Every structure is written in structure tokens, then in C-alpha cells.
Amino acid sequence: MNFYGRIQVYTPLESNNILLNGWIIYQAIASRLLGRSGYYQSGGAFGFRDQLQDTLCLKYFEPEILKNQIICHSKHQFLEGDVEHWWHEETRKRYKNKILR
């Protein structure tokens, strides 16, 4: 993914420029989406609201990631409108010839 330089923000504070022009986007992808670790999400689960909010910052940088995240999360919404708030992906790993689910 090469999204650096797509949008550049310039503020009087260089530290803000560093954060806004790369570091925050990297953090959203690396720790929140791929690592699924954060203050309220340290168990490696997908968090419905948290990850959708974190992915929103990618709208102008990598919209395909945002789209895929919305599709992934919509699979965990019930007909009544409520959602499964946390989940782990199906791994289909075997343990002593039994499939763990």
C-alpha cells in the first residue's frame, strides 16, 4: 500500500504534520485493522463499531480497505438491526483431528 502523499496536511506544528501525513494512517492499519489491538480491543477480536470508526480515516487514502471492512462487518449484523459486537474469524484449525470452531 502506498498511500503516502495522496493527501498532505500542513500545520504550523511539524509534529502534527508527521502525525497527519502518515503515522495515524499507519497506526490505523497496522495496530487496529491488522493487529486488532488497541485500548479496548486487546484480545485480537474484530470489534464492530471500533474497527468501522478506525477504518473511516482511510476513506481518502485507501477506500477499498474501507469498503472491505464494511462488507466484513455487515456479515455480523442481524436482521433486527443489532450486531455482534466482537468476534474472531473462523480459522478451521485442527486439534488432534478435530476441527476447532
Side-chain angles (χ1 to χ4, degrees), residues 52 64-76:
L52 287 176
E64 194 66 22
I65 293 175
L66 174 59
K67 176 185 170 185
N68 291 337
Q69 203 72 8
I70 291 169
I71 291 169
C72 171
H73 284 60
S74 66
K75 295 175 184 174
H76 296 273

Side-chain angles (χ1 to χ4, degrees), residues 1-8 21 25 29 60-63 65:
M1 280 178 260
N2 186 10
F3 46 77
Y4 297 108
R6 290 187 188 174
I7 296 175
Q8 290 291 302
N21 292 322
I25 302 302
I29 293 172
Y60 299 110
F61 293 92
E62 205 59 55
I65 293 175

Side-chain angles (χ1 to χ4, degrees), residues 8-26:
Q8 290 291 302
V9 177
Y10 297 100
T11 71
L13 293 172
E14 184 59 24
S15 57
N16 282 346
N17 298 340
I18 292 168
L19 284 173
L20 295 170
N21 292 322
W23 183 249
I24 290 176
I25 302 302
Y26 168 79

Side-chain angles (χ1 to χ4, degrees), residues 35-37 41-46 87-89:
R36 293 189 298 277
S37 66
Q41 191 180 358
S42 59
F46 282 88
W87 70 90
H88 288 88
E89 285 186 322

